[in-house]
Amino acid sequence: MLELNNRHTGIFLKSKILEILALYHVSLEQIFTVTCDNGANMIAAVKQLQSELQTLFNTPTDDDGCTIPDEQLEWTESVEREFSHTITVVRCAVHTMQLSVSDVIKAYDVELRKCTLVANNCRKIAYKSVFSEESLPPLYSKTRWGGIFEMLKYFSEREELFSDLGQQYPELDLMEQWQFVKEYVEAFEPVYIATKKMQAVHTSLNEFYLTWMKTIMQISLIQNNRFVEALTQALKQRLKVLKENIVVKAALLIDPRINYLNSRFFGPEEKEEIRAFIIATSERIQKFKARLQTSTQPSLSTCNNNTQNSPSDFDIFFTELYGGSLPATCVESDQLSPDRFVRQLNALDLEAHQNSTFDVWHYWMSRKYTHPELCEIATLLLAVPSNQVSVERAFSALSLVLSDKRTKLNDDTLENILLIKLNKCTFEKILPTLSQWNEENL
């Protein structure tokens, strides 16, 4: 985490991002996506990184007027060329869901102001005997997701109390707002729950999509509510924009809960575009691996082509036909033909329809040896974060670490504290192994 003193322009942010990548020995060509909110400076920074990557690979940009010389070039090849070396922006799903909320509630500013005024009035010293510090209604902030819902939920759960208070104290009267409060809580509760769910853990692109669709379904079932129609429409429109992202499409294509036999989720042209992107991404990975191998010393292979455990074509065929996975042995690269990869990619359209609780990660892990290249792409797509909540959490952690009483922490110490604090789960997994390794090497 860096303290930035200059203007947060796209060019400046790009330079700082490259500094961080160099610090951790990560090359720009290893960056697949950047998940961010709708901030113009971050979008500009990603465009700068895209230009940097295109320069690195000496590929023409959209602005330099270069055209494909061969007019007979296949459409899929042109798409593959377009996506071969690029960094894709993924818009934060949680932030976008909150924009859907803003689309609806901006028409109810008067009602929200009245409810907020009552919440503020509860903090007056005259009502100190009624409300303790812990029992005060929460005040919302526009930058806090779900703040309005939490305030109105508080009032809804204490309707009897505030009905009595309103009769004694006019400035605490919510009589005219009760119907508004009840309808708001009923309509926006699915959005609030979905937001909290996506904030809690890593949410892949396909999981966020299904969570969003479930939210729309739950809201559409509500009857006699002023918010339902507008909120449902806002969620659908925002989701449609997110779905136009090529990385999101690819993540949905490899999910048998969404793309399956006779599914009409994607049209034929969309599928061709997505497949071209997946093929180009696979080629990009293989090229990077090849460069990495040539730049390092060759290591001894643990695979033995002459062992009986090496999978043959028949072993792979039999496993694909009846399920399961091959023995945990190495599959040599020369056994993986491009034709097989394309056939496996096309065969995703023939998968059985799985229910919404299906474990997609385990599904692809079980195909690690039968579909090695496709599994590599699938795990990459499943690892792409659908939101930037981890960044927001990092800022919150920083405010707790860098308190008024710890102002003399230097940059390295602060970074190390944050590194441990933000990766607690990872350290809990690796520390026992690290301790054992140290004991064995003493």
Side-chain angles (χ1 to χ4, degrees), residues 12 30 66 82 88 155 157 178 204 212 223 286 298 405:
F12 176 69
Q30 291 177 262
C66 292
E82 178 184 354
T88 308
F155 288 136
E157 292 174 344
W178 280 127
S204 60
W212 196 301
Q223 301 292 327
Q286 301 311 318
K405 297 180 180 179

Side-chain angles (χ1 to χ4, degrees), residues 239-273:
L239 183 61
K240 184 179 179 181
V241 173
L242 290 176
K243 182 179 172 288
E244 291 303 311
N245 187 291
I246 188 64
V247 178
V248 175
K249 289 182 179 181
L252 300 181
L253 186 76
I254 56 96
D255 191 330
R257 298 173 298 176
I258 299 169
N259 181 46
Y260 48 84
L261 182 62
N262 298 325
S263 171
R264 298 189 300 273
F265 189 84
F266 290 117
E269 291 186 358
E270 273 188 304
K271 285 186 177 180
E272 288 301 319
E273 177 193 16

Side-chain angles (χ1 to χ4, degrees), residues 322-379:
Y322 293 105
S325 59
L326 291 171
T329 57
C330 179
V331 180
E332 294 296 331
S333 60
D334 58 359
Q335 293 178 313
L336 304 174
S337 66
D339 290 341
R340 178 181 298 173
F341 173 63
V342 173
R343 286 200 307 270
Q344 291 175 343
L345 178 58
N346 293 336
L348 294 179
D349 295 348
L350 305 177
E351 295 290 335
H353 187 191
Q354 303 295 338
N355 60 47
S356 59
T357 59
F358 183 74
D359 190 336
V360 181
W361 179 265
H362 182 267
Y363 164 80
W364 280 108
M365 287 295 97
S366 67
R367 295 187 166 197
K368 184 176 182 179
Y369 299 105
T370 58
H371 299 63
E373 289 182 327
L374 196 53
C375 177
E376 192 172 45
I377 298 297
T379 52

